[in-house]
Amino acid sequence: MHCSNRAVLGTEVVKIDESWSYHTSSKEVYDSDCCDSVLLELREYLPKYFGVWSPPTAPNDTYLKLEDVTRKFKKPCIMDVKIGQKSYDPYASAEKIQQQVSKYPLMEEIGFLVLGMRVYHVSSDSYETQNQHYGRSLTKETVKDGISKFFHSGYCLRKDVIAASIQKVEKILEWFERQKQLNFYASSLLFVYEGSCQPPTMRLGDVTLAEKGGVPKGLLSGGDVLEYNNNIHVINSTENGKIEASVGKGLSKFYALHKKAYSKRHHGQLSLKVENLEQDNMWKSSTCITQEHLNGNVIPQLEKVFCHMPADIKESANVEVRMIDFAHVFPSNTKDEGYIYGLKNLITVLQNILDN
């Protein structure tokens, strides 16, 4: 997102400078004969490696050919976060240190810096983009809100993505807590998740909203429950008031549920159950309903169903978190405390966003 020497060609190519310590480190990490358990585990958190490449017009320039992590996503939402308390390596000159510190004086205190983000908004079918200046404007007081912007679809906060992201960052933290071979400077985490809306069919069955206090009993009666629109289709109504529904094309065209549902006086119960969640990678990531799209006091409860999903669902969100940008990786015999500090602070911020 911010590197001028990066190009995406189905895979990603990163130019190798002879001064890069990463050149040596990458050979060790990606070597087919590598048997170091620490480095082998590190591979899990890096883009996949496809060898080296030189352009015909510049045969002396060599590039690492890496996986394009965003390629499998239809509407990728991307955020690049620099991790660590220092963005300069141990051999940096005083001038270089001053230059880096002046860019973001809070780096040592916060432990990370948002270098940029691109977020797909379902509501407008468009992307919102923020550059490194946005990240540098964030303070201790505003960094939580600044990062939460990345997880908002335009309709709701993607808590499923936040929860999955926390899990992946925690795995990387566990690796850093165990290893004492490498220290990383000015390296980043790349967050990617699917922003598009393509929910498959779902069934509504047994989780009674009336029991949660959101819908008074007596709203539904007989077979005349809800009128349907382009996105929510009432297929069937059972005698006890339960309904089956199919969620269709996407959030951007959700309309109000008809007021007819609220004019009934019989003591039926509006019940919702989401089934087939093992197939929900698409629907769960997008089926969010807001106040402006539904009428009546059923709205808060529907938002709980669609926007605030249980933890076991969130864990399966389609999310990638990879370590990138290794221009300054150095051998060490101690833990990388600066990187660990940044990861812990980032996890804390993400967890605060999720808890709210």
Side-chain angles (χ1 to χ4, degrees), residues 219 224-227 257-264:
L219 295 181
D224 199 7
V225 183
L226 297 172
E227 291 190 359
L257 294 173
H258 200 279
K259 292 181 181 179
K260 194 174 189 178
Y262 306 100
S263 66
K264 304 302 179 181

Side-chain angles (χ1 to χ4, degrees), residues 46-148:
L46 307 178
K48 293 178 182 177
Y49 176 70
F50 296 98
V52 296
W53 175 78
S54 295
T57 55
N60 293 328
D61 291 342
T62 306
Y63 295 79
L64 291 176
K65 194 174 182 182
L66 302 177
E67 171 191 13
D68 174 11
V69 180
T70 69
R71 191 181 186 192
K72 69 178 182 180
F73 298 92
K74 294 184 178 180
K75 297 290 185 180
C77 297
I78 308 168
M79 179 170 66
D80 188 335
V81 183
K82 182 183 290 187
I83 304 294
Q85 291 178 285
K86 297 178 180 178
S87 55
Y88 53 89
D89 63 55
Y91 301 100
S93 64
E95 181 181 359
K96 178 69 173 180
I97 292 173
Q98 180 59 36
Q99 179 192 52
Q100 291 299 312
V101 170
S102 64
K103 287 181 178 180
Y104 193 55
L106 293 174
M107 190 76 180
E108 186 168 356
E109 184 176 4
I110 294 178
F112 61 84
L113 166 64
V114 176
L115 291 175
M117 66 174 71
R118 189 177 71 161
V119 189
Y120 178 71
H121 285 174
V122 178
S123 55
S124 59
D125 188 26
S126 63
Y127 280 97
E128 176 185 356
T129 302
Q130 302 289 349
N131 61 22
Q132 57 189 332
H133 299 292
Y134 170 81
R136 290 172 185 167
S137 71
L138 300 178
T139 65
K140 284 183 64 178
E141 292 71 30
T142 63
V143 68
K144 188 184 84 168
D145 290 338
I147 288 183
S148 68

